[in-house]
Amino acid sequence: MTAEPHARVDNYWDASKKPRVVSPPLIGDAAVDVAIIGAGYTGLSTAFHLKAAEPSLEIAVLESETVGFGASGRNAGFVMTLFGASVGMMKALHGGARVREAHDYMVRSIAGLEAMLAEHKLDCDYERSGFLKVATSPRYVARIRDEIALFEELGIEGYRWLNIGELAGRVRSPTFLGGCLEPGCGLINPRKWVDALAGLALGKGVRLYEQTRVNKVRREGGKFHLSTDNGTVTADKLVFASNGYTHLIPGMRSKQLPAFVFIVVSEPLTAEQRAAIGWAGREGIEDGRNFMHFYRLTPDNRILMGGGPGFVPFAGRMHHDAYPAAWQHLEEFIGTTFPALRGIRIAHRWGGAFSVTANSTPQIGTLHGGAAAYSVGCTGHGVAMTHMNGRILRDLVLGRSSDLTDLWFVNRRSLPLPPEPFSSLGAKAVTVAMALDDWWCARGAKPT
Ligand SMILES: Cc1cc2nc3c(=O)[nH]c(=O)nc-3n(C[C@H](O)[C@H](O)[C@H](O)COP(=O)(O)OP(=O)(O)OC[C@H]3O[C@@H](n4cnc5c(N)ncnc54)[C@H](O)[C@@H]3O)c2cc1C
């Protein structure tokens, strides 16, 4: 990794966000019914749904930085149905019936998100623009068509193969050989969504402590004691909504690993550039790679390009928000995909960590005999599901049995990650295998 020429992190969503008053940190001690660690989508929606269900509960959300500091303020805003890793891998691991159930959950999550936007009149630049998974080599054509066939075999609807001509009618790239259209997906402004969730939680009377890192969690006398730099929170119930940072909390190391991914955003496209590439439907697009590229238009018609080179940091270290080599790759990849945009000025570059579990499957569950609950492992696909995960966490905290807590991925016995250095070495082996598979699949790509 080099530090030049672009080492500065500059998140487009932050640059374009509406001003928000940052809540003061915890100074002194506090006692609450429920403490929640993390003010991303998961923590804030858990707080909101809990307070809506039981208004008398005292709930505190503790955030080490500010609202949306983690993946929730940094993602690409794809609102999608993908649960965990690829559908083929999920079927191999969990069987067809569970893949169907997870897919239904994701469809319900998108509907729930749209319902929340409508009910609370939230302006989050949401577009039901659909999702395209594009094939950029003959092997990806075969792989994506196999995925569509697998969905059909499982009785899951909503995917349609577009041949090269049909796809070109939507968005023009010399690298596209066809693709799968999923109209049920959307795009959102991720920063507006997390700020909106904070507003909803605060509006219900949730206490939010920003710039308040939880350094240690101790269970004593039937209560949790959360130590922060300037005070302690005592709580009957605890929710870990710390996602890709969860391994840093003592006692939670084996739950998940962080994986870093990077994004660039261009200057706004000119009318000529828009005309050259088409894309009137503004679909979110991904390719078929393991280290996939994902791209979309922003509300002000810039191109956001993300993915490509990413990595699992050694021993879960988190200081990797800048990766100039990945930014350089993404900048060049814009020109490869859309020659009319070659050389377009890049205005924003950033990166962040998503959360991966040992089997790449989201996990929601309880600890300490039900007194604590956690959610990890959205595997880079948490925008749609996290507000619904918040409803599951609500039910777990309240000790309620519901259709949500009956879902197969809730309170499921899960594989712990091994201690270091085995975790990092295992992750390295998996990422090398993924990269080799990407190399093999890309061979035979149509020349551009
Ligand atoms: C670059 C990138 C692009 C992505 N793109 C997409 C996409 O397009 N579509 C999609 O579906 N998903 C995407 N994802 C994944 C998605 O953003 C996440 O699944 C989702 O935001 C997870 O939300 P969360 O609330 O669980 O976690 P986070 O938003 O990560 O929130 C966790 C919070 O906990 C806080 N925290 C951690 N430890 C402590 C502590 N000890 N004390 C106090 N606070 C603590 C952190 O500061 C953080 O704010 C992307 C992720 C990344 C990184």
Side-chain angles (χ1 to χ4, degrees), residues 124-145:
C124 295
D125 302 324
Y126 181 72
E127 312 173 55
R128 178 62 101 92
S129 44
F131 173 66
L132 280 169
K133 185 163 179 178
V134 295
T136 48
S137 78
R139 286 186 175 129
Y140 286 120
V141 169
R143 204 169 265 195
I144 294 172
R145 297 203 79 157

Side-chain angles (χ1 to χ4, degrees), residues 412-425:
R412 181 165 186 272
R413 187 185 291 268
S414 58
L415 278 178
L417 285 156
E420 292 295 354
F422 303 107
S423 249
S424 291
L425 291 174

Side-chain angles (χ1 to χ4, degrees), residues 96-106 403 406-409:
R98 287 181 166 175
V99 171
R100 249 194 326 273
E101 190 177 314
H103 181 81
D104 289 347
Y105 178 72
M106 296 305 294
D403 60 330
D406 286 346
L407 289 161
W408 63 266
F409 51 88

Side-chain angles (χ1 to χ4, degrees), residues 148-168:
I148 297 174
L150 180 53
F151 281 123
E152 278 168 11
E153 182 193 313
L154 295 172
I156 297 174
E157 294 174 349
Y159 299 86
R160 185 160 69 86
W161 174 254
L162 302 180
N163 65 31
I164 192 166
E166 289 170 317
L167 183 55

